[in-house]
Amino acid sequence: MCGIVGYVGGQQAAPLLLEGLGRLEHRGYDSAGVAVLGPGKESRLRVAKKAGRVRDLVDQVPKRFAGKVGIGHTRWATHGPANDANAHPHVDTKGDVAVVHNGIIDNAAALRAGLAEAGVELLSDTDTEVLAHLIGLSEADTLEGKVAEALGRVEGTYGLAVLHAAYPDRIVVARNGSPLIIGIGDHEMFVASDLAALVRYTTRVAHLDDGELATLTADGFSTYRLDLTSVTRSAIDLEIDADAYDAGEHDSFMHKEMLEQPESAERMLRGRLDERFGTSHLGGLHMDARELRAIRRVKVLGCGSAYYVGQMGAGLIEELARIPADAEAASEFRYRNPIVEPDTLYVAVSQSGETIDTLLAVQEIRRKGGKVVGLVNVVGSAIARECDGGIYLHAGPEVAVASTKALTNMFLGFALLALQLGRVRDLSIADGRRLVSGLQRLPEQIGEVLAQEPALAELAGRLAGAESLFFVGRVRGYPVAREGAQKFKEISYRHAEAYQTSELKHGPLALIDDSVPTVAVVPEDELTERNVAALHEVAARRGPLVVVTHPAVELGDLPSQASVDRIDVPRNERELDPILMTVALQLLSYHAALALGHDIDKPRNLAKSVTVE
Ligand code: F6R
C-alpha cells in the first residue's frame, strides 16, 4: 500500500527520496511524488508528482530541485483515480504546506464540504488534500501546533509527514494506525513507512505509537502526544543486513526468499528446541506452565496466506495439545461482535505486523480483556507492540509480495507453540521428542524440496496454460491446498480454487474435464487411501492431475490416458509434512508466473502490507 519517505539533513533530499521510493515499490502503488523545501530563508516548496512508476517520476523531477528537507510518497488509489492530481504530496492553497499521507480520513467528505464552503479550491479527489488545507489554515504558532490542530479535526487512520515553508528546518510526522518509522542518522534524520526505505542509511530507529507526533530536524527528533505534551520514545538498533533488501543474482525477491528458507527456518528454530524434555522454549510468550495449562481454546487470526498458515497452526495445536483451536480471517472477526473469552488464547499472525485488519482484531480482543500473542516477523511493528507476548519469526526482511519464507516460519512458530501447549498437557515426552527431531530435520528437507526446482519448473510451464485449476487436500492437507491456490492465483492470475478433496463430489466435480487440472495434496497418512480414491474420480473425468505426495504413496491403476504428474517431497512427521508440501507449491506457482512472463514481485492490484481496511 502507500509508502512514505522523508529526509532532513546535510545532503540533497531529492535523490535520497527517489531512491527510498524505489525501495518501497514492492508495497504496491500507482503514482508517486516528492516535495522539497528549497534552501535559504525565503524557503520555497517544490513539488513533483506523477501517476505511474517511480522511474516516471525520476524523469519528471527537474535538475534544479535543490533542498535538504523533503518528503516523498507512493500512492495506492483509495479516494479518486490514479492520476497526477491525486498523487501525493498535496499542498495547501498558498503553496506553503506539503503533506504525504497513508491511511484513510473517514470524515474527509464532510471536511471537504466545509473547506469548499469557506472558499478553498480543492484540486484533487483525495482525503489527504484536506489535511494540507487544514494545516495551512491553522493559526497555531508552531508547525507541531498546526498539525495537531488539523489532526484534532480528523477521524481515521494516518501515517503522515508534513513540510512547511515557514519552518524549513523540520519535518513533522504523525501516526495513527499506519506504520511510520523514524530513522536516526549522523546529523540527519529519516522517516519511512517501511524499513526497506531506511536500511541503506541507518538501522537506528524509533517507533511512534498511535496518536503521537514527532519533529525531525537534522540534529534529532522529539516526540509528543496530540495535545503536544512530550513523550519519550527511545531509539533502538536493529540487526538488519541491508543486503537482504537486494535481490542479488535472483530474478526476483520471491525467488531469493524461497531459496533462503532452509537458512531462515534454521534461524527460527535456533535455541528454541528442548531435546531433553521434548518441548520448546518460547520466552517471548511471557506465560508460565500454569497459565499455558489454563488455556481452554485457541483462536488464530490472520489475513490471506497468514490466515491459511493459521489454519495449519490451529490444526497442529488441536492435534498436539488437544485444545479446541480454529483460525479465522482477521478481516471478518471484529465485525461479527465476537465473544472474547478469558481462557482463550488469541494468536495474531502477520509477517509485516502492520496489516490493519489483523491489528484491529487484536485491539478488539484487548479491549474486551482477551489475551493475544503475536507470530510476527517485523520487530517492533504495530501488531508486535500491541500483543501481550509473542514469537518473532526471524525470517529476515521479506520484500516479495508473495509471502514464502515468513510463511514457513509462521508454520514453525505454530509447531513450537503446539509442542509447548501439548507438553504442559498430555503430549508424551516420546511424542515431544519425535516432533523436536522432526523440526530439526525440516530445514534440510526444505532444501531437498527446493532442489527439485528444475522438474517443478518444467511441470509449472505446462500448468500455466490452464485458465482454471483446483487445489485439493484433506484435513492437514486442506490449508496446504488453500495456500497453494492463493500463491498460484496471486502471481499467475489464473483462477485457482481450493477445496477439501472430500467435497469434490458434492459439487466441483461438475467442472472437471481435460482443461481443468487438479493439484492434489496427498501425504502418506491415515487418509491416503481416501485421497487416492478421489484422484481416480478426477482421472475418470479426464481431469489432469498433479499430485504432491510422498515417495511411498501408490496411486493405483489410473486410466491409461490419464495425465498424472507427481511431486514427491521428503517425509517428516505427519504433523510437520504440510510445510514441505507448501514449499513445493510455492515453486510451482513461481514458475507458472515466470512462464507467463509476469512481474513476480509486483503482482497486479496487490500490496505487500495492507494498511487500510
Ligand atoms: C500472500 C500474501 C498475503 C499476506 C496477507 C497478510 O502471499 O502475502 O496474503 O499473507 O496480506 O499479510 P501479513 O502477514 O503481513 O499480515
Side-chain angles (χ1 to χ4, degrees):
M1 306 241 100
C2 309
I4 289 177
V5 290
Y7 174 80
V8 49
Q11 307 185 56
Q12 287 301 326
L16 295 172
L17 297 174
L18 291 167
E19 208 261 351
L21 291 181
R23 295 195 177 271
L24 294 182
E25 287 198 292
H26 66 280
R27 289 179 69 97
Y29 73 105
D30 42 47
S31 53
V34 285
V36 296
L37 275 176
K41 270 209 173 126
E42 295 292 297
S43 190
R44 205 166 63 78
L45 195 64
R46 295 186 172 88
V47 179
K49 52 187 195 167
K50 189 147 189 57
R53 294 281 181 195
V54 171
R55 59 176 176 270
D56 303 322
L57 174 68
V58 173
D59 295 339
Q60 143 132 359
V61 171
K63 289 248 161 3
R64 291 159 60 81
F65 205 71
K68 297 181 177 175
V69 188
I71 53 179
H73 193 261
T74 47
R75 172 176 187 252
W76 168 284
T78 54
H79 289 63
N83 57 31
D84 294 356
N86 287 337
H88 299 208
H90 288 283
V91 292
D92 71 329
T93 310
K94 283 201 241 153
D96 285 342
V97 179
V99 176
V100 294
H101 164 229
N102 291 353
I104 291 184
I105 307 297
D106 296 332
N107 58 341
L111 292 170
R112 283 177 70 93
L115 285 166
E117 217 163 276
V120 174
E121 191 192 352
L122 290 145
L123 300 176
S124 75
D125 311 310
T126 65
D127 51 347
T128 304
E129 188 185 349
V130 160
L131 281 165
H133 293 299
L134 292 178
I135 295 166
L137 292 170
S138 165
E139 290 186 355
D141 52 8
T142 61
L143 180 53
E144 293 73 12
K146 292 178 193 294
V147 174
E149 192 182 302
L151 291 178
R153 298 187 52 192
V154 149
E155 288 159 24
T157 54
Y158 48 80
L160 196 72
V162 183
L163 295 184
H164 196 305
Y167 306 88
D169 65 334
R170 64 193 55 208
I171 306 173
V172 171
V173 302
R175 164 186 178 132
N176 190 39
S178 284
L180 211 57
I181 307 160
I182 297 170
I184 300 142
D186 184 12
H187 296 291
E188 56 185 3
M189 297 290 294
F190 304 82
V191 65
S193 51
D194 191 311
L195 266 181
L198 293 180
V199 286
R200 292 269 141 209
Y201 309 109
T202 182
T203 48
R204 190 162 173 73
V205 302
H207 293 280
L208 288 181
D209 267 350
D210 281 348
E212 290 178 359
L213 271 85
T215 303
L216 317 185
T217 65
D219 293 322
F221 71 103
S222 21
T223 41
Y224 323 87
R225 299 185 190 88
L226 270 190
D227 61 7
L228 298 184
T229 53
S230 100
V231 53
T232 308
R233 293 278 155 236
S234 29
I236 49 168
D237 288 302
L238 299 177
E239 281 175 33
I240 285 190
D241 176 8
D243 288 343
Y245 290 93
D246 271 322
E249 80 233 23
H250 300 270
D251 60 35
S252 61
F253 278 101
M254 183 181 178
H255 191 251
K256 174 176 184 252
E257 288 161 6
M258 280 190 301
L259 265 59
E260 280 172 4
Q261 290 180 103
E263 199 186 301
S264 84
E266 186 110 43
R267 218 167 29 234
M268 174 71 187
L269 296 172
R270 199 169 296 149
R272 285 170 161 167
L273 291 175
D274 183 333
E275 292 175 28
R276 189 159 163 231
F277 295 108
T279 186
S280 63
H281 297 294
L282 296 170
L285 283 184
H286 307 306
M287 291 174 85
D288 61 23
R290 193 179 300 226
E291 288 169 289
L292 289 169
R293 256 212 89 103
I295 296 165
R296 300 224 162 260
R297 185 178 290 278
V298 176
K299 165 72 86 183
V300 180
L301 294 157
C303 293
S305 291
Y307 162 42
Y308 301 137
V309 78
Q311 202 179 11
M312 296 182 206
L316 269 168
I317 290 168
E318 204 159 278
E319 193 168 359
L320 299 184
R322 305 304 297 150
I323 308 172
D326 73 334
E328 181 172 341
S331 46
E332 289 288 288
F333 179 74
R334 84 191 171 111
Y335 289 103
R336 58 174 186 79
N337 194 16
I339 298 165
V340 172
E341 294 164 312
D343 48 9
T344 295
L345 178 69
Y346 294 87
V347 183
V349 54
S350 173
Q351 186 287 128
S352 60
E354 302 289 353
T355 299
I356 191 80
D357 290 315
T358 312
L359 178 62
L360 292 173
V362 171
Q363 288 170 344
E364 178 72 8
I365 295 164
R366 291 185 42 106
R367 206 171 289 122
K368 292 184 168 176
K371 180 164 184 92
V372 198
V373 296
L375 255 68
V376 174
N377 193 36
V378 178
V379 176
S381 55
I383 295 171
R385 284 181 293 137
E386 193 77 38
C387 288
D388 296 286
I391 307 172
Y392 274 124
L393 301 177
H394 299 301
E398 191 180 68
V399 176
V401 168
S403 183
T404 55
K405 61 175 180 170
L407 186 125
T408 295
N409 283 12
M410 287 172 187
F411 179 89
L412 298 179
F414 279 115
L416 294 168
L417 180 62
L419 191 56
Q420 188 156 127
L421 287 169
R423 289 290 293 124
V424 296
R425 290 183 172 71
D426 297 331
L427 187 74
S428 68
I429 189 159
D431 268 335
R433 285 180 178 155
R434 175 176 68 79
L435 286 153
V436 166
S437 133
L439 284 165
Q440 285 165 332
R441 291 196 304 278
L442 264 181
E444 201 179 322
Q445 289 181 317
I446 291 173
E448 288 167 32
V449 177
L450 294 170
Q452 296 188 38
E453 184 171 1
L456 282 159
E458 191 274 323
L459 171 53
R462 284 187 278 127
L463 268 191
E467 287 297 329
S468 194
L469 301 92
F470 279 117
F471 282 70
V472 298
R474 292 193 71 164
V475 188
R476 295 184 206 102
Y478 176 51
V480 177
R482 290 186 93 183
E483 167 53 18
Q486 159 95 347
K487 216 69 332 139
F488 207 88
K489 73 179 81 144
E490 68 182 333
I491 54 173
S492 78
Y493 317 148
R494 296 305 195 206
H495 170 233
E497 201 171 334
Y499 258 99
Q500 291 101 334
T501 316
S502 52
E503 283 288 301
L504 272 177
K505 56 181 170 301
H506 296 292
L509 213 50
L511 289 176
I512 297 288
D513 64 20
D514 59 3
S515 69
V516 182
T518 298
V519 180
V521 177
V522 184
E524 183 186 346
D525 65 6
E526 59 283 5
L527 285 167
T528 310
E529 228 173 89
R530 295 199 177 284
N531 273 321
V532 170
L535 299 187
H536 283 254
E537 291 183 48
V538 172
R541 281 145 190 95
R542 293 180 294 117
L545 286 166
V546 174
V547 190
V548 189
T549 188
H550 290 129
V553 171
E554 286 177 15
L555 302 182
D557 288 332
L558 288 159
S560 57
Q561 77 284 10
S563 150
V564 185
D565 286 285
R566 312 180 52 124
I567 304 171
D568 281 313
V569 301
R571 248 198 114 185
N572 193 292
E573 301 303 326
R574 60 185 183 280
E575 299 89 339
L576 304 177
D577 283 331
I579 199 57
L580 293 167
M581 301 198 150
T582 302
V583 171
L585 293 181
Q586 293 171 352
L587 280 171
L588 199 68
S589 304
Y590 165 79
H591 279 286
L594 203 63
L596 290 163
H598 295 160
D599 185 342
I600 306 270
D601 287 336
K602 296 187 199 86
R604 69 181 182 205
N605 306 339
L606 297 180
K608 181 61 182 162
S609 55
V610 182
T611 50
V612 293
E613 257 197 288

